[in-house]
């Protein structure tokens, strides 16, 4: 019946071509063009995306093998996922990579027939990654911050406690697998980052603060961006700020430094804000000590032609913990940040650097230098 109806349609089309002439021919050409467009779209869909069912199936196979060998665990699930993802070239897009990883994990969990759901974020990283957490009297939030970090594929989690007088240290010591730096005197978050980064040789280092609980899903884009070739992945706060005329002095000086560096596209985005992530190449080039003055480190990175971007947004403006020192006009924290940016500008102007000298490395150059 289907074959006969197909013949009828072709005959009718031929009759219309005979009686209507050019009109019938144009319609056939339009129909053919429409079919070609559909085929093109289908081919793009197949080449530009990953079959999530195949990812689920691969996870199910891996889960079945793990069950047979009694090796079922979140650690094993992450290992087999990374091994599988390494052979999938299409996983260069963050959203696509995360969807593929979740499909794989669902298949892995389904094979256990226990209804267990893994809480890890299946982020396929090609290189090692670590996190540095700075905290001072954050006993009420630090535990949740660490819980979110443990959901990520991190080889090291370094906790820098400085000037802590509450039970933060006891909380950290109860948790296995952490590296703890304890400084009885208050040194400040920025100094803590410079100390923490010396305790790991990971290729990507993520920086967070102990007073802000940010979900692992929100932290993942920063790790992914650096893992795929960026040197500095900043928190993109641009859309959360008012127009320039309505901005405070801190936001304005951040934007001024970026504009002076020839990177007006970065707006007020700065390493002063967390979360952000850095590459090992960037850390070794600007030296860990420079991280104690974040704007200076950012300035040095741009001067050395490194890849600096702001790939994702975490609203730390509304979630920032209010303290006596960071509220009100001209507060101590604002003065510190402005002073850091002035130091960065003074260093920049002292070198006689010209924005025209900036050179952004291509992906090929980044890959070559990283592999070397």
């Amino acid at each position: 019946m289907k074959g006969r109806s197909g013949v009828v349609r072709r005959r009718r089309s031929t009759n219309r071509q005979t009686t209507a002439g050019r009109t019938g021919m144009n319609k056939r050409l339009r129909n053919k063009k429409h079919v070609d467009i559909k085929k093109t779209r289908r081919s793009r869909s197949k080449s530009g995306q990953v079959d999530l069912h195949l990812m689920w199936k691969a996870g199910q196979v891996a889960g079945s093998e793990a069950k047979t060998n009694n090796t079922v665990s979140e650690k094993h699930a992450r290992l087999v996922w990374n091994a599988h993802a390494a052979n999938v070239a299409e996983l260069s897009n963050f959203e696509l990579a995360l969807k593929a990883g979740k499909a794989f994990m669902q298949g892995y969990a389904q094979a256990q027939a226990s209804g267990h759901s893994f809480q890890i974020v299946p982020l396929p990283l090609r290189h090692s990654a670590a996190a540095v957490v700075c905290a001072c009297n954050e006993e009420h939030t630090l535990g949740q911050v660490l819980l979110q970090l443990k959901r990520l594929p991190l080889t090291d989690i370094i906790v820098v406690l400085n000037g802590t007088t509450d039970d933060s240290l006891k909380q950290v010591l109860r948790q296995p697998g952490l590296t703890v730096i304890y400084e009885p005197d208050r040194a400040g978050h920025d100094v803590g980052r410079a100390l923490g980064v010396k305790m790991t040789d990971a290729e990507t280092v993520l920086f967070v603060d102990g007073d802000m609980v940010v979900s692992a899903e929100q932290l993942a884009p920063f790790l992914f961006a650096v893992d795929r070739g960026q040197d500095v992945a900043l928190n993109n706060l641009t859309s959360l700020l008012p127009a320039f005329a309505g901005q405070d002095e801190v936001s304005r000086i951040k934007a001024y430094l970026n504009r002076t560096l020839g990177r007006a596209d970065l707006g007020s985005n700065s390493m002063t804000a967390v979360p952000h992530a850095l590459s090992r190449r960037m850390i070794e080039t600007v030296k860990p000590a420079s991280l104690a003055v974040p704007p200076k480190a950012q300035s040095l990175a741009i001067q050395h032609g490194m890849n600096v971007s702001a790939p994702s947004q975490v609203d730390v403006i509304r979630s920032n913990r209010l303290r006596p020192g960071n509220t009100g006009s001209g507060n101590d924290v604002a003065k510190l940040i402005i002073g850091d940016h002035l130091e960065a500008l003074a260093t920049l102007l002292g070198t006689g650097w010209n924005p025209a000298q900036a050179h952004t490395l291509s992906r090929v150059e980044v890959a070559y230098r990283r592999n070397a």
Side-chain angles (χ1 to χ4, degrees):
M1 181 61 70
K2 289 183 180 179
R4 181 180 296 177
S5 62
V7 172
V8 171
R9 283 197 296 272
R10 285 195 291 273
R11 284 178 180 172
R12 287 178 179 172
S13 176
T14 303
N15 290 338
R16 282 197 296 270
Q17 178 183 345
T18 304
T19 57
R22 184 176 294 178
T23 302
M25 179 63 74
N26 289 340
K27 190 170 183 179
R28 286 176 61 194
L29 289 174
R30 285 197 300 270
N31 289 340
K32 184 178 185 301
K33 185 178 180 181
H34 182 65
V35 172
D36 289 341
I37 290 174
K38 281 186 175 181
K39 288 181 178 178
T40 303
R41 286 176 179 170
R42 280 198 298 268
S43 63
R44 286 178 181 174
S45 176
K46 290 178 180 178
S47 62
Q49 296 185 8
V50 174
D51 190 326
L52 298 182
H53 178 71
L54 289 180
M55 288 293 170
W56 181 88
K57 191 66 178 176
Q60 188 183 45
V61 171
S64 297
E65 293 176 352
K67 186 176 181 180
T68 301
N69 299 326
N70 292 321
T71 56
V72 177
S73 66
E74 290 190 347
K75 182 178 180 180
H76 179 265
R78 197 188 293 282
L79 286 173
V80 293
W81 161 236
N82 280 339
H84 182 77
N87 300 316
V88 183
E90 291 84 359
L91 299 183
S92 58
N93 174 273
F94 171 73
E95 287 76 13
L96 187 61
L98 202 57
K99 286 181 181 178
K102 288 180 178 179
F104 184 95
M105 290 301 168
Q106 288 171 359
Y108 186 98
Q110 194 276 338
Q112 312 309 315
S114 61
H116 177 71
S117 177
F118 294 113
Q119 297 301 310
I120 59 177
V121 175
L123 191 66
L125 299 182
R126 299 169 180 171
H127 309 280
S128 58
V132 173
V133 188
C134 295
C136 176
N137 294 334
E138 316 294 359
E139 62 178 348
H140 299 297
T141 54
L142 186 55
Q144 288 299 315
V145 170
L146 295 174
L147 180 64
Q148 292 302 317
L149 289 176
K150 288 183 176 182
R151 298 177 58 211
L152 294 166
L154 301 173
T155 55
D156 297 312
I157 298 178
I158 299 99
V159 182
V160 183
L161 296 175
N162 63 95
T164 295
T165 58
D166 63 1
D167 287 334
S168 295
L169 180 59
K170 291 181 181 179
Q171 284 191 11
V172 173
L173 293 177
R174 288 194 205 103
Q175 301 195 38
L178 303 177
T179 299
V180 183
I181 301 176
Y182 178 69
E183 172 56 52
D185 299 322
R186 192 163 187 170
H189 286 310
D190 300 333
V191 175
R193 293 170 196 164
L195 290 172
V197 80
K198 292 183 178 182
M199 302 302 293
T200 179
D201 57 0
E203 287 294 313
T204 301
V205 182
L206 174 72
F207 295 87
V208 299
D209 285 347
D211 62 343
M212 281 184 278
V213 181
V214 181
S215 71
E217 286 80 4
Q218 288 180 292
L219 296 172
F222 300 95
L223 290 171
F224 192 83
V226 174
D227 188 74
R228 293 303 194 270
Q230 294 298 302
D231 291 298
V232 181
L234 302 172
N235 188 2
N236 192 349
L237 301 176
T238 300
S239 66
L240 300 177
L241 298 175
F244 186 81
Q247 292 180 8
D248 59 15
E249 63 272 22
V250 171
S251 298
R252 287 178 176 177
I253 199 167
K254 289 177 180 179
Y256 182 76
L257 176 60
N258 286 331
R259 187 173 291 274
T260 304
L261 288 162
R263 291 300 307 273
D265 60 297
L266 292 175
S268 296
N269 298 319
S270 168
M271 280 177 54
T272 300
V274 291
H276 62 261
L278 306 177
S279 71
R280 174 56 50 184
R281 186 173 77 101
M282 183 274 188
I283 294 169
E284 292 180 352
T285 300
V286 307
K287 308 304 180 187
S290 71
L291 301 183
V293 185
K296 186 176 180 180
Q298 182 171 327
S299 176
L300 290 171
I302 293 175
Q303 289 178 70
H304 282 87
M306 296 187 176
N307 293 320
V308 181
S309 64
S312 190
Q313 180 184 99
V314 176
D315 187 353
V316 296
I317 296 177
R318 283 178 288 187
S319 61
N320 190 20
R321 179 180 167 187
L322 297 179
R323 308 169 189 262
N326 69 355
T327 55
S329 177
N331 62 76
D332 292 340
V333 174
K335 290 178 181 178
L336 175 64
I337 295 174
I338 291 172
D340 286 349
H341 281 78
L342 290 175
E343 181 178 343
L345 283 165
T347 303
L348 174 65
L349 297 175
T351 62
W353 184 78
N354 188 327
Q357 298 171 351
H359 168 60
T360 301
L361 297 178
S362 67
R363 285 184 174 274
V364 174
E365 289 174 298
V366 170
Y368 175 80
R369 295 190 182 194
R370 187 187 292 277
N371 293 334

